[in-house]
């Protein structure tokens, strides 16, 4: 899988231009496009009109349906605009909005109940890595997935220090950490054959292939480099 996370970037025009560029790929069925919420509807219309096989995802979701929550976006609204996935627990939201496990569990829970597949992000900060706490932090974050199944859920390992920095861990480290995450998920009762681990953090056309080829990595979450249609095409092949 290849997840394009546009964050707070793009416009009506660039969304359509981008979809036009990537529409030549044979791997669109492996792609999930997560533009800003405002552009999901027109992206969905474009995708339907051109019969493209990529899926749409939201970058975040609220943990309720139809309550009094100003600014809230519910799972039913996302489904209404053709959204099949939602990113949950991105480090930017954990850090900016102090989203904690309790809230994230509620988000995961409502998504799975309402039929929205989850892309659950976890990752250690540089400080945590340097103090040898990586595994402990990842295990803590993964505990939010206790009691859920991996059938409709992917885990994106995104070291916080690698996001947007141009720095990525060594391939051996990505591989070892992904293996560790698989073991941890199994110990939480997830079925091995359903587990999907993505890697995210400074993936671009120059490094995507070698990361994607790692045995325990089933896909990539791409931020900055996904904004450029030509570069995203190179990444997805
Ligand atoms: C991200 O948005 O989660 C991300 C990985 O960004 P980038 O690819 O720009 O590091």
């Amino acid at each position: 899988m290849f997840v394009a996370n546009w964050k707070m970037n793009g416009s009506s025009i660039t969304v359509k231009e981008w979809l036009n560029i990537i529409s030549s790929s044979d791997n669109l069925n492996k792609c999930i496009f997560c533009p800003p919420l405002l552009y999901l509807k027109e992206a969905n219309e474009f995708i339907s009109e051109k019969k493209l096989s990529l899926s749409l995802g939201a970058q975040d979701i609220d943990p309720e349906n139809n309550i009094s929550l100003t600014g809230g976006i519910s799972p039913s609204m996302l489904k209404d605009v053709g959204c099949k996935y939602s990113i949950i627990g991105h480090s930017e939201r954990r850090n900016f909005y102090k989203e904690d496990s309790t809230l994230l569990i509620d988000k995961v829970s409502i998504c799975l109940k309402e039929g929205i597949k989850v892309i659950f992000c976890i990752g250690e900060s540089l400080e945590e890595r340097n103090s040898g706490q990586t595994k402990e932090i990842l295990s803590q974050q993964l505990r939010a997935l206790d009691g859920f199944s991996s059938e409709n859920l992917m885990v994106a390992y995104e070291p916080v220090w690698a996001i947007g920095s141009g720095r990525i861990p060594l391939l051996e480290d990505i591989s070892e950490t992904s293996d560790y995450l698989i073991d941890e998920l199994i110990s939480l009762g997830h079925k091995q054959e359903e587990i999907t681990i993505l890697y995210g953090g400074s993936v671009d056309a120059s490094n995507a292939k070698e990361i994607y080829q790692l045995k325990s990595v089933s896909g990539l979450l791409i931020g900055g480099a996904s904004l450029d249609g030509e570069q995203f095409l190179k990444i997805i092949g």
Side-chain angles (χ1 to χ4, degrees):
M1 299 304 292
F2 300 95
V3 183
N5 176 18
W6 271 26
K7 311 193 190 193
M8 202 198 276
N9 293 291
S11 64
S12 311
I13 295 174
T14 56
V15 162
K16 287 183 197 146
E17 283 173 353
W18 186 86
L19 285 168
N20 231 339
I21 294 171
I22 68 153
S23 61
S24 61
S25 169
D26 290 332
N27 284 332
L28 283 187
N29 59 338
K30 294 187 199 148
C31 297
I32 305 166
F33 179 34
C34 306
L37 277 174
L38 277 177
Y39 305 125
L40 280 169
K41 186 168 186 287
E42 51 202 305
N44 188 37
E45 284 165 1
F46 190 94
I47 288 168
S48 305
E49 197 187 308
K50 307 270 180 197
K51 299 191 176 29
L52 305 179
S53 59
L54 81 164
S55 301
L56 280 176
Q59 298 174 15
D60 186 41
I61 193 164
D62 283 302
E64 299 282 354
N65 255 332
N66 310 325
I67 59 157
S68 180
L69 175 60
T70 303
I73 298 291
S74 69
S76 55
M77 291 170 190
L78 290 180
K79 284 196 285 188
D80 194 29
V81 292
C83 213
K84 296 209 170 72
Y85 293 83
S86 181
I87 295 175
I88 292 178
H90 193 284
S91 60
E92 287 154 6
R93 298 202 67 91
R94 288 180 192 257
N95 293 334
F96 276 54
Y97 294 112
K98 307 289 168 231
E99 295 198 358
D100 62 9
S101 281
T102 312
L103 176 67
L104 300 179
I105 290 169
D106 288 346
K107 291 186 180 196
V108 171
S109 177
I110 198 156
C111 275
L112 297 180
K113 193 164 132 229
E114 297 289 331
I116 299 222
K117 295 183 184 174
V118 170
I119 302 161
F120 189 74
C121 300
I122 58 171
E124 81 286 1
S125 66
L126 191 56
E127 207 180 4
E128 289 159 348
R129 185 181 186 84
N130 288 342
S131 57
Q133 288 179 283
T134 300
K135 287 186 175 162
E136 189 187 323
I137 294 295
L138 297 178
S139 297
Q140 267 171 28
Q141 293 174 344
L142 271 190
R143 251 173 253 144
L145 301 180
D146 194 5
F148 298 110
S149 104
S150 273
E151 193 185 356
N152 292 311
L153 184 151
M154 298 183 259
V155 170
Y157 170 50
E158 301 206 292
V160 180
W161 53 273
I163 296 178
S165 66
R167 291 192 296 152
I168 61 165
L170 296 172
L171 289 178
E172 305 88 88
D173 286 351
I174 299 177
S175 188
E176 192 197 316
T177 307
S178 304
D179 284 337
Y180 176 75
L181 297 178
I182 293 171
D183 289 344
E184 285 291 287
L185 283 165
I186 291 171
S187 74
L188 291 175
H190 292 236
K191 291 187 190 151
Q192 180 156 18
E193 64 276 15
E194 291 178 350
I195 296 172
T196 302
I197 306 291
L198 312 179
Y199 168 79
S202 293
V203 173
D204 60 24
S206 72
N207 58 27
K209 200 165 170 200
E210 54 189 10
I211 304 174
Y212 190 60
Q213 280 171 347
L214 294 172
K215 194 169 156 281
S216 45
V217 173
S218 310
L220 303 170
L221 197 161
I222 306 128
S226 73
L227 291 168
D228 174 351
E230 299 295 346
Q231 178 154 203
F232 191 66
L233 251 191
K234 282 192 194 136
I235 292 172
I236 65 180

